[in-house]
Amino acid sequence: MAILPDAKLYIDGVLRTAEDGRTFEVIGPWTGEPVGRAADASAADVDAAIAAARRAFDTTDWSTNVALRVALVTKLRALFEENRDRLSDLARHEAGAAIGAVGRAHVDMALEGWDDYLRLFPQIAWEKDFGARTGYGFETQRRAFYEPIGVVGAITPWNVPLYVNVGKVVAALLAGCTVILKPAPNTPGMGAIFGELAAAAGFPAGVLNVVFGSDPALAGEMLVTDPRVDLISFTGSTGVGKRIMEQGGASLKRIFLELGGKSAKIVLDDAPNFAMDVAQSMLVFHAGQGCAVHSRLLVPRSRYEEAKAVLKHAYGSFGDNWGDFDNPQHIMGPVVSKKQMERVLSYVQLGQEEGATLLAGGKARPDKGHGYFVEPTCFVDVTNDMRIAQEEIFGPVLVVIPYEDDEDAIRIANESAYGLSGGVASGDFDRAINVARRIRAGSVSVNGGMCIAGDLPFGGYKASGMGREWGLEGIEEFLETKLVAWRA
Ligand code: NAD
């Protein structure tokens, strides 16, 4: 029985079904049963969305009317506020968020980030004067104008769908772009609500469009390859990100990528709260399905046995306090899909084959329901060259790696294709900052500091992506620089 309202496409100002009437079931991670139904966009629907966004950018005043944009984006924010409960329902039923995690990571952070964008937006400089310069026997005055880049294809994942949708859509709209939002097939409702509320807010037709479908690649590939789309802002896996880079190259559109991670948290030997730092590394929040989670825990070899004992105790205490849809204390639910569960379990098997020791968890838990429940899992005796230490598992699986000294810890942290985030815990602030500065990642938390907030630029080094989302830089990503020079 469907729990969520039908997810409709929003194309050229109209909320509608797919042109051929096709729909697909949205399967709930808690039950493995349908929780809703979504329109299944065809190529014709995606084409219509691209045409509408192009027309709205080229022929309306959206790109130049800053006051209109601020008014409508502010009005849309108010409508999202009125729909907080629906947003929570969507995060819980579509993305499998546990009720104890839904506020923090799914709804509050996204809406606070939206407010940050609105607060920062007046700081955008639309012009910059470069002054006069004399050359070739005459004087030239120079000025740059910053202009919206055009039509944006925003392709988003299922793990924290509201947060990522807001990160792209709100920034692009404020910048003056028109947008086609393409959420993941698992979370169409969290995209559809943007269309529904934009229609209610009175957005001009074509400025925001929302398309989704059962085929994970169809709409995204059309956006990436279509020359009418000027910029792709993608969040998702590194594999798909590489494909987007290749396919987008043909039309030389701008491409920004927020990709996967295998981030390391280094607990230094002088960490004053060593046991707490180690215990808090358990990868349980949202079943470990966060791009920036610290899925590699690095502890000094001199304290490795102590760390193992702490983790054994911590996982034991966490026990079965997860996986209950209605328990407000629970921060961990299922993983998002059967496919994802099988993927996580295959890594558990691989870790054992590679010679790591399973300290906790490792099994599916069908006793918790017909959904996709995998136990909080921890591997010790892991070396950094193992695949479980190098590849993003995207589930509740922590790997614990010993190191010899600070240099060794930094080496291990950096010996990764990824570079999204990291952490350092130490009693010596300068030492911690020195280590943090040598980790090649887009953000590093020292002694638990929060790197993720709507006013901070977020993004990755290396295979974790390119470009920055959120903060002022997140809006500037959607602007082009035009230089105008005139003879004085
Ligand atoms: P995914 O790469 O499978 O899909 C992401 C989006 O791309 C979806 O909308 C999907 O339908 C679409 N897509 C799939 N194939 C495509 C193609 N060929 N062309 C264009 N679009 C295509 O990722 P996912 O499983 O939805 O999400 C999990 C991944 O997202 C993890 O790797 C995670 O680390 C990453 N992630 C990164 C960040 C970040 O900010 N760096 C944030 C959240 C999630």
Side-chain angles (χ1 to χ4, degrees), residues 155-159 164 182-185 216-217 220-221 234-237 240 243-244 258-261 291 392 394 420 458:
I155 305 175
T156 61
W158 46 262
N159 65 325
V164 183
K182 208 301 282 176
E221 288 198 357
F234 170 79
T235 298
S237 59
V240 174
R243 189 171 164 77
I244 286 176
E258 300 281 348
L259 307 176
C291 55
E392 185 183 48
F394 222 58
L420 193 55
F458 178 79

Side-chain angles (χ1 to χ4, degrees), residues 23 38 60 69 71-72 85 106 125 165 176 178-179 188 196 202 228 296 318 320 341 379 381 402 405 411 460:
T23 60
T60 75
R69 301 204 299 265
L72 281 174
D85 290 348
H106 289 266
N165 291 347
T178 58
V179 179
E196 192 187 315
R228 291 171 295 178
R296 289 183 295 155
F318 192 74
D320 247 357
M341 180 170 81
F379 275 110
D381 305 326
D405 53 23
R411 177 188 63 78

Side-chain angles (χ1 to χ4, degrees), residues 261-445:
K262 191 75 183 181
S263 304
K265 173 177 172 181
I266 303 173
V267 180
L268 293 176
D269 54 7
D270 68 346
N273 305 309
F274 185 83
M276 201 182 78
D277 282 317
V278 168
Q280 285 182 345
S281 304
M282 283 193 308
L283 211 51
V284 290
F285 193 85
H286 198 29
Q289 300 166 115
C291 55
V293 296
H294 301 156
S295 49
R296 289 183 295 155
L297 175 63
L298 275 48
V299 292
R301 191 178 294 283
S302 58
R303 300 186 77 173
Y304 199 62
E305 291 308 314
E306 185 186 344
K308 277 191 203 174
V310 166
L311 284 165
K312 187 92 197 158
H313 180 74
Y315 277 94
S317 311
F318 192 74
D320 247 357
N321 296 314
W322 62 280
D324 179 347
F325 184 80
D326 292 313
N327 190 326
Q329 308 299 326
H330 284 197
I331 56 168
M332 169 167 164
V335 296
V336 76
S337 63
K338 186 162 185 280
K339 185 172 149 216
Q340 193 64 17
M341 180 170 81
E342 286 166 357
R343 177 185 157 86
V344 173
L345 293 173
S346 75
Y347 273 104
V348 172
Q349 190 181 339
L350 175 69
Q352 289 166 295
E353 286 164 11
E354 287 183 303
T357 307
L358 201 51
L359 184 88
K363 292 193 294 298
R365 288 290 298 272
D367 57 305
K368 290 200 175 278
H370 295 297
Y372 313 116
F373 298 96
V374 183
E375 288 177 333
T377 299
C378 178
F379 275 110
V380 294
D381 305 326
V382 177
T383 55
N384 199 44
D385 56 353
M386 291 180 184
R387 281 181 58 199
I388 56 165
Q390 288 295 321
E391 296 175 18
E392 185 183 48
I393 298 173
F394 222 58
V397 183
L398 177 71
V399 304
V400 190
I401 304 171
Y403 66 82
E404 305 302 334
D405 53 23
D406 291 15
E407 284 303 313
D408 196 38
I410 294 163
R411 177 188 63 78
I412 294 170
N414 287 336
E415 271 181 15
S416 169
Y418 294 110
L420 193 55
S421 85
V424 186
S426 170
D428 178 338
F429 179 75
D430 291 338
R431 182 180 174 199
I433 292 290
N434 281 336
V435 172
R437 292 198 60 176
R438 292 185 55 200
I439 296 178
R440 292 188 39 76
S443 59
V444 182
S445 158

Side-chain angles (χ1 to χ4, degrees), residues 172-237:
L173 290 176
L174 283 174
C177 296
T178 58
V179 179
I180 303 133
L181 170 63
K182 208 301 282 176
N186 310 69
T187 51
M190 200 59 106
I193 196 165
F194 278 77
E196 192 187 315
L197 299 182
F203 268 65
V207 162
L208 175 62
N209 305 270
V210 187
V211 292
F212 37 77
S214 56
D215 182 329
L218 176 103
E221 288 198 357
M222 284 184 68
L223 294 175
V224 169
T225 51
D226 196 305
R228 291 171 295 178
V229 177
D230 298 294
L231 182 151
I232 293 290
S233 176
F234 170 79
T235 298
S237 59

